[in-house]
Amino acid sequence: LLHEERRKSEEDVQEKIEHRDGKVEEVLTDGRRIITFRDGTKKEISADKRMTVVSFFNGDVKKIMPDQRVIYYYADAQTTHTAYPNGLEVLKFPNNQIEKHHPDGTQEIIFPDHTVKRLYSGGLEETFFPDGTVVKVEKNGDKIMVFSNGQKEIHTAQFKRREYPDGTVKTVYSNGRQETKYASGRVRIKDEEGNVILHKK
């Protein structure tokens, strides 16, 4: 198909200009311009001059679209980089991973398994898993996990805490002490060795 297209466009050449530096410029009857450089790079400009496609000798392709998007395909990496006029940049990798770099510094990574990770410029990191689990990591390293079953887990430098939908809260402190508070008001505390030191009903 490309070969036929090329042959058709060669037949439709209205004007051919050969420059001293070795580049060849062709003006086609439909108004398009094709400039071929000595290294094999080709630049095609649409008749209305609103779209440009550059096909590089190494297989890379750069498209400048009428809406000012710039789409660059890296042949070796099989990766597409799209830059939007508003500053958004989107990378698509061959494994279907997508990365979005927003103008405000936020980054979003969409993994092939549909897990989504957002990195905010302030240091917050959020990950949304396909099963409904959400993990937030604060700049200071504190981690909050909200599971699809309604349980919530909080990890800080001082403790790890799990909150259950029935109101039960289990906390393990960094020194090993454990504390369980039940919805009924009952409290059980164990020391570092696992000995019950308080059991309030």
Side-chain angles (χ1 to χ4, degrees), residues 149-198:
N149 63 7
Q151 293 183 21
K152 182 177 177 181
E153 203 165 289
I154 301 164
H155 294 197
T156 71
Q158 295 80 32
F159 63 83
K160 289 182 180 177
R161 175 176 293 145
R162 186 168 278 238
E163 299 172 3
Y164 296 87
D166 69 358
T168 301
V169 177
K170 290 186 177 180
T171 307
V172 178
Y173 293 92
S174 55
N175 64 4
R177 196 182 75 165
Q178 298 176 40
E179 182 180 283
T180 307
K181 292 180 181 175
Y182 298 91
S184 63
R186 194 176 86 175
V187 177
R188 185 173 62 202
I189 299 174
K190 294 180 180 178
D191 66 15
E192 303 79 47
E193 283 90 45
N195 304 312
V196 176
I197 55 173
L198 176 73

Side-chain angles (χ1 to χ4, degrees), residues 52-69:
T52 304
V53 178
V54 181
S55 302
F56 296 94
F57 64 92
N58 65 357
D60 288 6
V61 178
K62 179 182 182 179
K63 294 179 184 178
I64 300 169
M65 307 302 283
D67 63 5
Q68 298 305 304
R69 275 180 302 146

Side-chain angles (χ1 to χ4, degrees), residues 14 30 48 89 119 132 139-140 153 157 162 175 181:
Q14 184 179 329
D30 65 5
D48 62 6
E89 293 186 37
L119 308 162
K139 189 177 181 179
N140 66 3
E153 203 165 289
R162 186 168 278 238
N175 64 4
K181 292 180 181 175

Side-chain angles (χ1 to χ4, degrees), residues 28-167:
L28 308 182
T29 52
D30 65 5
R32 286 181 297 146
R33 285 182 176 273
I34 298 176
I35 302 160
T36 307
F37 297 88
R38 274 209 327 232
D39 67 0
T41 297
K42 279 191 180 214
K43 181 178 189 177
E44 185 176 328
I45 303 164
S46 64
D48 62 6
K49 295 180 174 51
R50 294 185 65 222
M51 186 167 159
T52 304
V53 178
V54 181
S55 302
F56 296 94
F57 64 92
N58 65 357
D60 288 6
V61 178
K62 179 182 182 179
K63 294 179 184 178
I64 300 169
M65 307 302 283
D67 63 5
Q68 298 305 304
R69 275 180 302 146
V70 178
I71 303 167
Y72 197 104
Y73 175 74
Y74 295 91
D76 279 353
Q78 298 178 345
T79 300
T80 303
H81 174 262
T82 305
Y84 292 83
N86 66 1
L88 173 67
E89 293 186 37
V90 178
L91 290 140
K92 289 185 182 175
F93 298 94
N95 68 351
N96 290 326
Q97 180 172 313
I98 297 169
E99 282 185 23
K100 295 179 180 181
H101 299 260
H102 296 270
D104 67 0
T106 303
Q107 289 183 39
E108 185 175 37
I109 303 164
I110 303 160
F111 295 94
D113 70 354
H114 303 294
T115 297
V116 177
K117 180 179 267 194
R118 288 196 188 111
L119 308 162
Y120 297 93
S121 55
L124 174 67
E125 186 180 296
E126 286 181 313
T127 307
F128 302 87
F129 293 92
D131 70 357
T133 301
V134 178
V135 177
K136 292 182 183 183
V137 181
E138 301 285 344
K139 189 177 181 179
N140 66 3
D142 289 359
K143 185 189 282 189
I144 299 168
M145 291 164 276
V146 180
F147 300 98
S148 54
N149 63 7
Q151 293 183 21
K152 182 177 177 181
E153 203 165 289
I154 301 164
H155 294 197
T156 71
Q158 295 80 32
F159 63 83
K160 289 182 180 177
R161 175 176 293 145
R162 186 168 278 238
E163 299 172 3
Y164 296 87
D166 69 358

